[in-house]
C-alpha cells in the first residue's frame, strides 16, 4: 500500500524504558527531586524532553533546558544502551527493504543518539534516511521532524507515505503533515490515545504491520 515507511524510534523500534527513565531520574535528582517509582516517568518516552519537564514537573523553560543537559550526562554514556529491540523488528525492516520500499526514521531524539542506537543494534543498514531532532532543540516536535524528513526525501506524493509510531504525538505529527499513520500497541501508547489522535490503522503486534507492505 505504501512506498515509504517513516518509523518512530522509542517505543516503536526499541524499548528504551530503562535508559530514559534512569536518565530522567538522574536529571531530576540534580534539582533535589527523588523518584521512587521510575514507571511514573514513562510519559517522558517519546515527546520532546523540554516539553515533558515543563509539563510534568512544572519547570520553566530555562530549568527544562538545564534538565535536558543533565539528562544527557547520563544518557549519552549509559542510558543510550539501556535499551532493547522489540522482537520481530529486524525481520520487519528487512522485509520492507527487500520489497523495494524506502525506510526512514522520524524521531524526536537527537540525530547523533538515534544513529548510535541504530548502529548499536545493527539496524542502520535498513534505513535510507535518518530524520531526527537537533541537539539545540530547534527541531524537536514530531510534526517538524516529519516535515524535515519528507523534504529531505523529496516526497511529492504523500499518499505513498505512512508514519508508524506508538504515541499520540507520532499520529498527530502525521496528521499535520497530511500522512496516513499506523499506531502500534506494543510500545508506550494505548488504543484510545492513538484513535483520538487520528491513527489511520492500529497494529497490535509487529507482525500486524506486515499487512501494510
Amino acid at each position: 500500500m505504501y512506498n515509504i515507511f517513516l518509523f518512530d524510534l522509542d517505543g516503536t523500534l526499541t524499548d528504551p524504558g530503562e535508559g530514559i527513565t534512569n536518565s530522567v531520574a538522574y536529571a531530576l535528582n540534580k534539582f533535589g527531586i527523588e523518584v521512587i517509582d521510575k514507571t511514573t516517568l514513562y510519559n517522558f518516552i517519546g515527546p520532546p524532553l523540554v516539553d515533558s519537564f515543563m509539563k510534568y514537573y512544572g519547570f520553566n523553560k530555562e530549568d527544562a533546558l538545564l534538565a535536558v543537559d543533565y539528562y544527557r550526562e547520563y544518557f549519552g554514556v549509559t542510558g543510550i544502551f539501556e535499551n532493547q529491540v522489540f522482537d520481530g523488528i529486524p525481520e520487519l525492516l528487512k522485509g520492507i527493504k527487500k520489497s523495494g520500499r524506502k525506510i526512514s526514521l522520524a524521531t524526536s531524539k537527537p540525530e547523533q543518539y538515534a544513529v548510535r542506537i541504530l548502529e548499536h543494534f545493527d539496524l542502520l543498514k535498513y534505513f535510507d534516511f535518518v530524520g531526527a531532532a537537533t541537539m539545540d532543540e530547534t527541531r524537536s516536535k514530531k510534526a517538524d521532524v516529519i516535515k524535515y524528513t519528507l523534504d529531505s526525501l523529496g516526497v511529492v506524493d504523500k499518499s505513498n507515505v505512512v508514519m508508524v509510531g506508538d504515541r499520540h504525538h507520532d499520529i498527530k505529527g502525521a496528521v499535520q503533515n497530511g500522512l496516513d499513520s499506523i499506531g502500534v500497541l506494543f510500545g508506550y501508547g494505548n488504543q484510545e490515545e492513538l484513535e483520538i489522535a487520528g491513527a489511520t490503522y492500529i497494529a497490535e503486534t509487529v507482525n500486524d504491520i506486515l499487512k501494510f507492505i
Side-chain angles (χ1 to χ4, degrees):
M1 294 174 63
Y2 301 101
N3 292 324
I4 301 175
F5 285 76
L6 308 185
F7 280 92
D8 171 49
L9 179 58
D10 293 338
T12 301
L13 298 178
T14 70
D15 182 354
E18 181 183 1
I20 289 179
T21 56
N22 283 344
S23 301
V24 173
Y26 173 90
L28 291 172
N29 187 254
K30 294 284 191 175
F31 290 88
I33 301 170
E34 183 178 1
V35 179
I36 303 300
D37 180 6
K38 290 180 183 175
T39 64
T40 61
L41 303 178
Y42 281 167
N43 285 328
F44 279 80
I45 300 174
L49 289 168
V50 169
D51 295 349
S52 294
F53 279 115
M54 295 173 69
K55 178 178 181 180
Y56 299 114
Y57 283 88
F59 285 14
N60 59 34
K61 186 67 174 288
E62 183 179 1
D63 284 344
L65 288 169
L66 180 58
V68 171
D69 288 339
Y70 289 142
Y71 171 98
R72 289 172 177 166
E73 286 181 2
Y74 182 93
F75 185 83
V77 177
T78 304
I80 189 170
F81 299 128
E82 293 176 329
N83 196 355
Q84 58 185 339
V85 179
F86 285 117
D87 289 343
I89 287 297
E91 294 78 10
L92 172 67
L93 298 176
K94 183 178 180 179
I96 294 174
K97 195 71 174 175
K98 189 175 181 180
S99 71
R101 273 87 164 176
K102 287 186 177 181
I103 304 173
S104 177
L105 202 66
T107 176
S108 291
K109 188 178 291 301
E111 181 176 346
Q112 68 182 63
Y113 292 153
V115 170
R116 285 176 64 194
I117 291 168
L118 293 179
E119 287 178 334
H120 178 74
F121 291 116
D122 196 29
L123 298 179
L124 186 61
K125 62 188 177 185
Y126 299 118
F127 286 81
D128 296 281
F129 184 73
V130 175
T134 54
M135 289 291 281
D136 63 4
E137 302 291 326
T138 55
R139 182 177 66 244
S140 62
K141 295 188 182 302
K142 186 52 67 84
D144 295 337
V145 170
I146 291 175
K147 182 181 185 305
Y148 163 71
T149 303
L150 294 173
D151 290 345
S152 298
L153 290 172
V155 170
V156 176
D157 184 359
K158 293 182 179 181
S159 67
N160 289 324
V161 186
V162 65
M163 175 71 205
V164 186
D166 70 312
R167 296 300 309 276
H168 62 87
H169 60 279
D170 298 313
I171 306 305
K172 288 180 179 178
V175 171
Q176 291 171 33
N177 280 280
L179 302 182
D180 285 352
S181 58
I182 302 172
V184 302
L185 297 180
F186 50 83
Y188 287 85
N190 58 58
Q191 184 152 344
E192 181 181 15
E193 169 186 340
L194 296 171
E195 288 179 345
I196 290 174
T200 313
Y201 311 101
I202 300 291
E204 291 189 13
T205 68
V206 172
N207 284 338
D208 286 339
I209 301 173
L210 289 170
K211 62 187 175 184
F212 301 108
I213 302 175

